[in-house]
Amino acid sequence: MSLTIRAEGLVADVVAEVQAADSHGDTGQAEAVRAFILGELEAWPTGPGAPNGVLVEASGHHDDHSRNVTIMIRPVRVGAPED
C-alpha cells in the first residue's frame, strides 16, 4: 500500500479532496488513515474565531516487513481575517 494526501483550503474542500485521494495496492491501511482524517475534519471547530481552513498532509506505506504512516492536520486561515 502507498498513500499520499496533500490538501489545503476551506474545510469542505479538503474533505472532498481527502475522499477522492488515490491509494495503491492493499488499501486497508489507506482507508484507515482516510477514516481518521475525515473524522477529525468532521469534528473541526467552526465557532467564532476558529480558522476557516485546514492543511492536511498524510503519507504511508506498508509491505511484508513494515508499516508506517505520517499524518499532519493543521488549521489555516483562508482569505482575509474577519474583524
Side-chain angles (χ1 to χ4, degrees):
M1 183 287 308
S2 66
L3 167 75
T4 302
I5 297 173
R6 185 181 193 295
E8 182 175 9
L10 296 173
V11 175
D13 295 336
V14 171
V15 166
E17 289 185 51
V18 170
Q19 290 171 332
D22 289 334
S23 59
H24 305 282
D26 175 2
T27 58
Q29 183 185 33
E31 291 308 315
V33 169
R34 186 186 326 270
F36 174 81
I37 293 169
L38 291 173
E40 290 298 306
L41 294 177
E42 183 178 317
W44 203 255
T46 58
N52 60 347
V54 64
L55 168 63
V56 171
E57 293 181 337
S59 61
H61 174 78
H62 82 256
D63 57 30
D64 293 340
H65 306 287
S66 68
R67 295 178 68 86
N68 67 74
V69 174
T70 301
I71 301 170
M72 189 269 301
I73 303 172
R74 188 177 72 198
V76 296
R77 186 161 306 279
V78 177
E82 297 176 14
D83 290 326

